[in-house]
Each structure stands twice: as structure tokens, then as C-alpha cells.
Amino acid sequence: MMTMLELPEDLLEEIFCRVPALSLIRLRSTCKRWNRNRLLNDKKFITNHLEKSPKQFMPLMLQDFRLCLMRFNQLRFSPIRVKGKLSLIDPRSSLDHIKISQVFHCDSLLLCHTEDKIPRLVVWNPCTGQTRWIKITRFRQGARYALGFYQDKKSNVGYSYKILSGMVHGPSFDKQDIDLYSKQEFEIYEMNSNAWRVLEVDATLDFIILYLDHGASLKGKTYWIAEDKEKGRNKFLVSFDYSTERFEYLCLPRQYDWYENLSLSVVRGEKLSVLLQRYLGTKTNIWVSSKICDETKAVSWSKVLSVDLDACYLIPDGGSFVFDEERKVLVCCNWDTAAYIVGEDNNVRDYEAGSSSKLSLFDYAPSLTQIQQDLGGKRKRGDERLRYKQTIFVGEDDKVRQEDFLLGRIISNTEYLTN
């Protein structure tokens, strides 16, 4: 009987294409042949793996300037609990971890804004540990950032990633009944060219996106709840296409006014979800979209959850949440240091994080997605190895563990959303 080690290389690759990313990463430490295998650096294999492998979703929360691996379970005494902490490591720094002030999730990559004296951006794949550090000037330090991608048919890189930077200036108190905000400015950073440039937008753009990092990424595009530029009364759903570099309008379940709080999230990487709360009201509704058609921009909405909550559970516009559509369970960050979990039974369970930074919550699906590296600079021998050893896990016992592809080791014992 033929063993795994005796299988032909092409058959072995086909099998590995159907193995979840974290399980595949763990396999590297079990066999010298697989550890030396070129698969995890082969673009063709990575593309096939992204298409064929099942996704494993896990909730991450930004808390105390660090990303935490969470467990949600309504049936437990502590329904929201930290399973462990991930540390972003800069090989050129003596710090045991780099503080993160903002995080944006896109296609299993994280765009992090550091809490340094001189802030930096870093694109990070926690699954592989690969990173790319990006300097920002002091003029751009007050901006918000989002990450997206598009299929680059002109080159052999497959997908190209871009960073969108946005700043809102205002309000204009010297004018009456004209603009609530004076203007917004956007810039684009192209990963494959390592350059920032001003994004020229239509002068008739009639909406404002206050916090670019409060958007939701789906299939490479970024979506936001935007406000009417002149009065700030009406709210819209807009998206940004990183290929055409244009904003687009999409329909919401209905027209929304200024006194209604709206937030966006993504359901298992396939659909958008909208959380609606009326200011000082009790009703909280969750709407889930159909799959969005790129050609027609058509989208339909279904209300899938409605719960009655006290006003103390009101979340701000753009507040983060995750929603389990199958189990009808909602987890929200309602204030900077608190979160709650609620289901169809309307039983609310609180979580006091005591965080020194603003909470941010999202579902993360580990993958082998590669980060485009800056090819302009010289690479020292061993740099590639260093980039793949930057994820450190601190468990519930506060003991530090570090090894190559560390998330692959710990995830087998991790409980996913509402297990």
C-alpha cells in the first residue's frame, strides 16, 4: 500500500489544495520533505489553495493595542473570553510586540496602524507571519486607512493590493447651510510600485466617509456607510473599486436618517450585513445581503434578526460587530471597553474588556495569501525566514510560545464562533 510520502508530487499538491491553511501549516513540522517543499511559496499552488481549500473563520478583537483570539459561547458562564493574544513583531525592534491602534481586515490580510511615536503602517498575514512595513509622513498620520485588491490582468502577480487613505477636514463653522464638512481628501498607495499618489475624485461627490477604517471588505472592494455631505441627515451605502479607483452607490434595505445608527460587517466572506439601531430606541435589526453582482451592482436584503435592547447597548455609527447567520447570534462592541453577545432569545451577556484602546471586532479566515514585497530595496540573506517568524501567541496562562507558523499550532484547540 502506497504511503503519503510515496505519492507523486502532482497528486500530493492536489491533496494539499483541499487542506485548510492552518492544518497545512502544521504539517510542515511533521515531515522534512513537506517542510522543504516549495508549495507555500509557489504562486500557482497558493492560487489553487485559495480556490479549493475550506475556510475556517475565527473571531479576532483589537484590545489593549493587541489582537486577541476570542471564544464566543452563549452557553458558558463567561460567554466572551480571550483565548490568546497575537503579537506583531518588528525584527528591527527590541520590543516584544508592536502596539496597534487601528486594524482593517481584507482577504485574510490585516492592515495595521501602529501606536508608535512615529506611526507606521504594516500589512500582516498572521497565519504565515509575513509582513510589509510602510512609512507614512507626518502629514498623513491623522488619516484613516483601508486595504483592498483587484485582479491585475496586465501582470503575473494575480491580485494587486492597494491602500486607500482618507482625511476629512471640517466642519466649516464659518458657513451656514452649505457644507457640514469642508472637504475630504484621498490618497492611494500601490503595493507593487511602493508609491503614494493623490486620488482625484469627482468634485460632485456628495457624501462623506468619516472613518475609512470602519468599512467592510468583500471580494476586494471596500464598503462603508456614508453620510450626506451637506446636511449629514441621510446615509448611503458606498463602495470603492480598487481597479477603476471609483466610488459606487449601492442600495440599503431602505432610506436611513441621521438618528439611526448603522454599522457594516461581512458574513463568512460572502455577504454584507447591516446592523440598525434607532437612537435611544430599543429595537436592533440585522439585515443580510444577497451576493452582490459586480456587473449590475444589484443587491437585495433580508432581515434575519430582530432583538429588543436597552439604550445602554447602543453602538456608535460604524461600531464593529460579527454575526453568525446560522445560529442567529450577534456580538457587538458597544463602547470603547465593552462588548455583548445576544441571540434570538434576547438574553444579553456582557463582556467588560477594561481595554486601554478602542475595541474592534471581526471574523478572520486564515489563508496562505502572499504579501507583495517592495522589490526596490536590497534584501539581506535570511530576511525571508524572519518574515515568517513574526507571529507570537500568548496563551491564557500568559506563557509565551513562539515557532514558525504558530497559528497553525494553536488553532486546532480553538473554539469558533458560538461553538
PDB file of all heavy atoms in Angstrom, residues 386-408:
ATOM      1  N   LEU A 386      12.938  35.548   8.468  1.00  0.00           N
ATOM      2  CA  LEU A 386      12.489  36.392   9.564  1.00  0.00           C
ATOM      3  C   LEU A 386      11.028  36.783   9.396  1.00  0.00           C
ATOM      4  O   LEU A 386      10.274  36.814  10.350  1.00  0.00           O
ATOM      5  CB  LEU A 386      13.356  37.658   9.645  1.00  0.00           C
ATOM      6  CG  LEU A 386      14.743  37.484  10.241  1.00  0.00           C
ATOM      7  CD1 LEU A 386      15.540  38.768  10.071  1.00  0.00           C
ATOM      8  CD2 LEU A 386      14.659  37.102  11.705  1.00  0.00           C
ATOM      9  N   ARG A 387      10.615  37.047   8.166  1.00  0.00           N
ATOM     10  CA  ARG A 387       9.244  37.478   7.967  1.00  0.00           C
ATOM     11  C   ARG A 387       8.258  36.377   8.318  1.00  0.00           C
ATOM     12  O   ARG A 387       7.106  36.636   8.576  1.00  0.00           O
ATOM     13  CB  ARG A 387       9.042  37.933   6.516  1.00  0.00           C
ATOM     14  CG  ARG A 387       9.542  39.333   6.243  1.00  0.00           C
ATOM     15  CD  ARG A 387       8.895  39.877   4.999  1.00  0.00           C
ATOM     16  NE  ARG A 387       9.158  39.039   3.849  1.00  0.00           N
ATOM     17  CZ  ARG A 387      10.226  39.146   3.083  1.00  0.00           C
ATOM     18  NH1 ARG A 387      11.131  40.034   3.352  1.00  0.00           N
ATOM     19  NH2 ARG A 387      10.384  38.364   2.045  1.00  0.00           N
ATOM     20  N   TYR A 388       8.715  35.142   8.279  1.00  0.00           N
ATOM     21  CA  TYR A 388       7.814  34.042   8.575  1.00  0.00           C
ATOM     22  C   TYR A 388       7.926  33.588  10.021  1.00  0.00           C
ATOM     23  O   TYR A 388       7.490  32.513  10.374  1.00  0.00           O
ATOM     24  CB  TYR A 388       8.080  32.869   7.635  1.00  0.00           C
ATOM     25  CG  TYR A 388       7.547  33.104   6.252  1.00  0.00           C
ATOM     26  CD1 TYR A 388       8.349  33.651   5.263  1.00  0.00           C
ATOM     27  CD2 TYR A 388       6.222  32.828   5.959  1.00  0.00           C
ATOM     28  CE1 TYR A 388       7.847  33.880   4.005  1.00  0.00           C
ATOM     29  CE2 TYR A 388       5.707  33.060   4.698  1.00  0.00           C
ATOM     30  CZ  TYR A 388       6.524  33.581   3.718  1.00  0.00           C
ATOM     31  OH  TYR A 388       6.028  33.827   2.468  1.00  0.00           O
ATOM     32  N   LYS A 389       8.510  34.398  10.907  1.00  0.00           N
ATOM     33  CA  LYS A 389       8.605  34.037  12.320  1.00  0.00           C
ATOM     34  C   LYS A 389       8.179  35.208  13.201  1.00  0.00           C
ATOM     35  O   LYS A 389       8.744  35.459  14.248  1.00  0.00           O
ATOM     36  CB  LYS A 389      10.023  33.608  12.674  1.00  0.00           C
ATOM     37  CG  LYS A 389      10.455  32.315  12.018  1.00  0.00           C
ATOM     38  CD  LYS A 389      11.780  31.847  12.535  1.00  0.00           C
ATOM     39  CE  LYS A 389      11.734  31.438  13.970  1.00  0.00           C
ATOM     40  NZ  LYS A 389      12.979  30.864  14.464  1.00  0.00           N
ATOM     41  N   GLN A 390       7.129  35.918  12.764  1.00  0.00           N
ATOM     42  CA  GLN A 390       6.777  37.136  13.476  1.00  0.00           C
ATOM     43  C   GLN A 390       5.472  37.053  14.237  1.00  0.00           C
ATOM     44  O   GLN A 390       5.022  38.037  14.789  1.00  0.00           O
ATOM     45  CB  GLN A 390       6.716  38.311  12.493  1.00  0.00           C
ATOM     46  CG  GLN A 390       8.089  38.639  11.934  1.00  0.00           C
ATOM     47  CD  GLN A 390       8.044  39.850  11.054  1.00  0.00           C
ATOM     48  OE1 GLN A 390       7.384  40.818  11.375  1.00  0.00           O
ATOM     49  NE2 GLN A 390       8.729  39.814   9.946  1.00  0.00           N
ATOM     50  N   THR A 391       4.825  35.901  14.241  1.00  0.00           N
ATOM     51  CA  THR A 391       3.587  35.772  14.993  1.00  0.00           C
ATOM     52  C   THR A 391       3.878  35.062  16.303  1.00  0.00           C
ATOM     53  O   THR A 391       4.340  33.942  16.325  1.00  0.00           O
ATOM     54  CB  THR A 391       2.543  34.971  14.194  1.00  0.00           C
ATOM     55  OG1 THR A 391       2.265  35.663  12.983  1.00  0.00           O
ATOM     56  CG2 THR A 391       1.265  34.817  14.991  1.00  0.00           C
ATOM     57  N   ILE A 392       3.617  35.738  17.410  1.00  0.00           N
ATOM     58  CA  ILE A 392       3.820  35.166  18.737  1.00  0.00           C
ATOM     59  C   ILE A 392       2.464  35.018  19.401  1.00  0.00           C
ATOM     60  O   ILE A 392       1.619  35.912  19.330  1.00  0.00           O
ATOM     61  CB  ILE A 392       4.738  36.058  19.594  1.00  0.00           C
ATOM     62  CG1 ILE A 392       6.165  36.006  19.032  1.00  0.00           C
ATOM     63  CG2 ILE A 392       4.727  35.613  21.050  1.00  0.00           C
ATOM     64  CD1 ILE A 392       7.145  36.837  19.818  1.00  0.00           C
ATOM     65  N   PHE A 393       2.234  33.893  20.023  1.00  0.00           N
ATOM     66  CA  PHE A 393       0.972  33.624  20.707  1.00  0.00           C
ATOM     67  C   PHE A 393       1.202  33.583  22.202  1.00  0.00           C
ATOM     68  O   PHE A 393       2.090  32.883  22.684  1.00  0.00           O
ATOM     69  CB  PHE A 393       0.415  32.285  20.233  1.00  0.00           C
ATOM     70  CG  PHE A 393      -0.815  31.848  20.967  1.00  0.00           C
ATOM     71  CD1 PHE A 393      -2.031  32.470  20.738  1.00  0.00           C
ATOM     72  CD2 PHE A 393      -0.763  30.824  21.889  1.00  0.00           C
ATOM     73  CE1 PHE A 393      -3.165  32.064  21.412  1.00  0.00           C
ATOM     74  CE2 PHE A 393      -1.884  30.411  22.563  1.00  0.00           C
ATOM     75  CZ  PHE A 393      -3.097  31.029  22.316  1.00  0.00           C
ATOM     76  N   VAL A 394       0.400  34.358  22.931  1.00  0.00           N
ATOM     77  CA  VAL A 394       0.438  34.330  24.381  1.00  0.00           C
ATOM     78  C   VAL A 394      -0.857  33.689  24.854  1.00  0.00           C
ATOM     79  O   VAL A 394      -1.944  34.224  24.627  1.00  0.00           O
ATOM     80  CB  VAL A 394       0.580  35.747  24.975  1.00  0.00           C
ATOM     81  CG1 VAL A 394       0.654  35.674  26.490  1.00  0.00           C
ATOM     82  CG2 VAL A 394       1.821  36.420  24.416  1.00  0.00           C
ATOM     83  N   GLY A 395      -0.769  32.535  25.487  1.00  0.00           N
ATOM     84  CA  GLY A 395      -1.947  31.791  25.877  1.00  0.00           C
ATOM     85  C   GLY A 395      -2.598  32.330  27.132  1.00  0.00           C
ATOM     86  O   GLY A 395      -2.154  33.307  27.729  1.00  0.00           O
ATOM     87  N   GLU A 396      -3.676  31.645  27.546  1.00  0.00           N
ATOM     88  CA  GLU A 396      -4.418  32.076  28.724  1.00  0.00           C
ATOM     89  C   GLU A 396      -3.575  31.982  29.994  1.00  0.00           C
ATOM     90  O   GLU A 396      -3.860  32.654  30.981  1.00  0.00           O
ATOM     91  CB  GLU A 396      -5.665  31.211  28.881  1.00  0.00           C
ATOM     92  CG  GLU A 396      -6.670  31.421  27.761  1.00  0.00           C
ATOM     93  CD  GLU A 396      -7.842  30.483  27.899  1.00  0.00           C
ATOM     94  OE1 GLU A 396      -7.727  29.327  27.483  1.00  0.00           O
ATOM     95  OE2 GLU A 396      -8.869  30.916  28.454  1.00  0.00           O
ATOM     96  N   ASP A 397      -2.543  31.146  29.947  1.00  0.00           N
ATOM     97  CA  ASP A 397      -1.669  31.032  31.119  1.00  0.00           C
ATOM     98  C   ASP A 397      -0.568  32.079  31.112  1.00  0.00           C
ATOM     99  O   ASP A 397       0.332  32.055  31.943  1.00  0.00           O
ATOM    100  CB  ASP A 397      -1.043  29.638  31.176  1.00  0.00           C
ATOM    101  CG  ASP A 397      -0.309  29.275  29.880  1.00  0.00           C
ATOM    102  OD1 ASP A 397      -0.262  30.138  28.976  1.00  0.00           O
ATOM    103  OD2 ASP A 397       0.191  28.147  29.776  1.00  0.00           O
ATOM    104  N   ASP A 398      -0.624  33.016  30.115  1.00  0.00           N
ATOM    105  CA  ASP A 398       0.345  34.114  29.971  1.00  0.00           C
ATOM    106  C   ASP A 398       1.748  33.623  29.632  1.00  0.00           C
ATOM    107  O   ASP A 398       2.721  34.371  29.742  1.00  0.00           O
ATOM    108  CB  ASP A 398       0.418  34.979  31.237  1.00  0.00           C
ATOM    109  CG  ASP A 398      -0.836  35.805  31.426  1.00  0.00           C
ATOM    110  OD1 ASP A 398      -1.427  36.196  30.403  1.00  0.00           O
ATOM    111  OD2 ASP A 398      -1.224  36.049  32.575  1.00  0.00           O
ATOM    112  N   LYS A 399       1.883  32.368  29.213  1.00  0.00           N
ATOM    113  CA  LYS A 399       3.182  31.862  28.784  1.00  0.00           C
ATOM    114  C   LYS A 399       3.350  32.139  27.297  1.00  0.00           C
ATOM    115  O   LYS A 399       2.444  31.921  26.503  1.00  0.00           O
ATOM    116  CB  LYS A 399       3.285  30.366  29.058  1.00  0.00           C
ATOM    117  CG  LYS A 399       3.323  30.015  30.549  1.00  0.00           C
ATOM    118  CD  LYS A 399       3.488  28.520  30.742  1.00  0.00           C
ATOM    119  CE  LYS A 399       3.553  28.182  32.237  1.00  0.00           C
ATOM    120  NZ  LYS A 399       3.686  26.718  32.463  1.00  0.00           N
ATOM    121  N   VAL A 400       4.526  32.594  26.933  1.00  0.00           N
ATOM    122  CA  VAL A 400       4.792  32.945  25.545  1.00  0.00           C
ATOM    123  C   VAL A 400       5.286  31.712  24.797  1.00  0.00           C
ATOM    124  O   VAL A 400       6.158  30.997  25.262  1.00  0.00           O
ATOM    125  CB  VAL A 400       5.848  34.069  25.457  1.00  0.00           C
ATOM    126  CG1 VAL A 400       6.169  34.368  24.003  1.00  0.00           C
ATOM    127  CG2 VAL A 400       5.338  35.315  26.160  1.00  0.00           C
ATOM    128  N   ARG A 401       4.690  31.483  23.633  1.00  0.00           N
ATOM    129  CA  ARG A 401       5.126  30.388  22.782  1.00  0.00           C
ATOM    130  C   ARG A 401       5.444  30.961  21.413  1.00  0.00           C
ATOM    131  O   ARG A 401       4.689  31.770  20.881  1.00  0.00           O
ATOM    132  CB  ARG A 401       4.021  29.331  22.655  1.00  0.00           C
ATOM    133  CG  ARG A 401       3.505  28.830  23.997  1.00  0.00           C
ATOM    134  CD  ARG A 401       2.349  27.856  23.773  1.00  0.00           C
ATOM    135  NE  ARG A 401       1.805  27.416  25.041  1.00  0.00           N
ATOM    136  CZ  ARG A 401       0.797  28.011  25.661  1.00  0.00           C
ATOM    137  NH1 ARG A 401       0.270  29.085  25.137  1.00  0.00           N
ATOM    138  NH2 ARG A 401       0.333  27.545  26.806  1.00  0.00           N
ATOM    139  N   GLN A 402       6.520  30.523  20.821  1.00  0.00           N
ATOM    140  CA  GLN A 402       6.897  31.039  19.510  1.00  0.00           C
ATOM    141  C   GLN A 402       7.496  29.925  18.683  1.00  0.00           C
ATOM    142  O   GLN A 402       8.314  29.148  19.147  1.00  0.00           O
ATOM    143  CB  GLN A 402       7.917  32.178  19.630  1.00  0.00           C
ATOM    144  CG  GLN A 402       8.343  32.730  18.269  1.00  0.00           C
ATOM    145  CD  GLN A 402       9.312  33.877  18.399  1.00  0.00           C
ATOM    146  OE1 GLN A 402       9.768  34.177  19.481  1.00  0.00           O
ATOM    147  NE2 GLN A 402       9.624  34.512  17.305  1.00  0.00           N
ATOM    148  N   GLU A 403       7.030  29.816  17.452  1.00  0.00           N
ATOM    149  CA  GLU A 403       7.599  28.884  16.499  1.00  0.00           C
ATOM    150  C   GLU A 403       7.136  29.301  15.114  1.00  0.00           C
ATOM    151  O   GLU A 403       6.256  30.151  14.971  1.00  0.00           O
ATOM    152  CB  GLU A 403       7.157  27.439  16.786  1.00  0.00           C
ATOM    153  CG  GLU A 403       5.661  27.227  16.656  1.00  0.00           C
ATOM    154  CD  GLU A 403       5.276  25.772  16.859  1.00  0.00           C
ATOM    155  OE1 GLU A 403       5.479  25.273  17.960  1.00  0.00           O
ATOM    156  OE2 GLU A 403       4.784  25.171  15.904  1.00  0.00           O
ATOM    157  N   ASP A 404       7.704  28.705  14.077  1.00  0.00           N
ATOM    158  CA  ASP A 404       7.255  29.018  12.734  1.00  0.00           C
ATOM    159  C   ASP A 404       5.786  28.654  12.596  1.00  0.00           C
ATOM    160  O   ASP A 404       5.331  27.617  13.063  1.00  0.00           O
ATOM    161  CB  ASP A 404       8.065  28.218  11.701  1.00  0.00           C
ATOM    162  CG  ASP A 404       9.501  28.706  11.629  1.00  0.00           C
ATOM    163  OD1 ASP A 404       9.746  29.826  12.075  1.00  0.00           O
ATOM    164  OD2 ASP A 404      10.352  27.957  11.139  1.00  0.00           O
ATOM    165  N   PHE A 405       5.032  29.510  11.920  1.00  0.00           N
ATOM    166  CA  PHE A 405       3.633  29.250  11.615  1.00  0.00           C
ATOM    167  C   PHE A 405       2.841  28.909  12.873  1.00  0.00           C
ATOM    168  O   PHE A 405       2.185  27.881  12.958  1.00  0.00           O
ATOM    169  CB  PHE A 405       3.519  28.102  10.600  1.00  0.00           C
ATOM    170  CG  PHE A 405       4.292  28.356   9.347  1.00  0.00           C
ATOM    171  CD1 PHE A 405       5.535  27.802   9.175  1.00  0.00           C
ATOM    172  CD2 PHE A 405       3.774  29.182   8.368  1.00  0.00           C
ATOM    173  CE1 PHE A 405       6.260  28.041   8.020  1.00  0.00           C
ATOM    174  CE2 PHE A 405       4.492  29.419   7.220  1.00  0.00           C
ATOM    175  CZ  PHE A 405       5.728  28.852   7.046  1.00  0.00           C
ATOM    176  N   LEU A 406       2.920  29.781  13.851  1.00  0.00           N
ATOM    177  CA  LEU A 406       2.408  29.481  15.183  1.00  0.00           C
ATOM    178  C   LEU A 406       0.899  29.323  15.234  1.00  0.00           C
ATOM    179  O   LEU A 406       0.383  28.490  15.963  1.00  0.00           O
ATOM    180  CB  LEU A 406       2.821  30.600  16.130  1.00  0.00           C
ATOM    181  CG  LEU A 406       2.770  30.315  17.611  1.00  0.00           C
ATOM    182  CD1 LEU A 406       3.043  28.878  17.930  1.00  0.00           C
ATOM    183  CD2 LEU A 406       3.750  31.170  18.313  1.00  0.00           C
ATOM    184  N   LEU A 407       0.162  30.118  14.436  1.00  0.00           N
ATOM    185  CA  LEU A 407      -1.289  29.989  14.487  1.00  0.00           C
ATOM    186  C   LEU A 407      -1.726  28.591  14.100  1.00  0.00           C
ATOM    187  O   LEU A 407      -2.711  28.070  14.594  1.00  0.00           O
ATOM    188  CB  LEU A 407      -1.948  31.011  13.552  1.00  0.00           C
ATOM    189  CG  LEU A 407      -2.275  32.363  14.157  1.00  0.00           C
ATOM    190  CD1 LEU A 407      -2.919  33.244  13.105  1.00  0.00           C
ATOM    191  CD2 LEU A 407      -3.185  32.226  15.338  1.00  0.00           C
ATOM    192  N   GLY A 408      -0.989  27.949  13.217  1.00  0.00           N
ATOM    193  CA  GLY A 408      -1.331  26.602  12.805  1.00  0.00           C
ATOM    194  C   GLY A 408      -1.259  25.626  13.957  1.00  0.00           C
ATOM    195  O   GLY A 408      -1.954  24.612  13.975  1.00  0.00           O
TER     196      GLY A 408
END
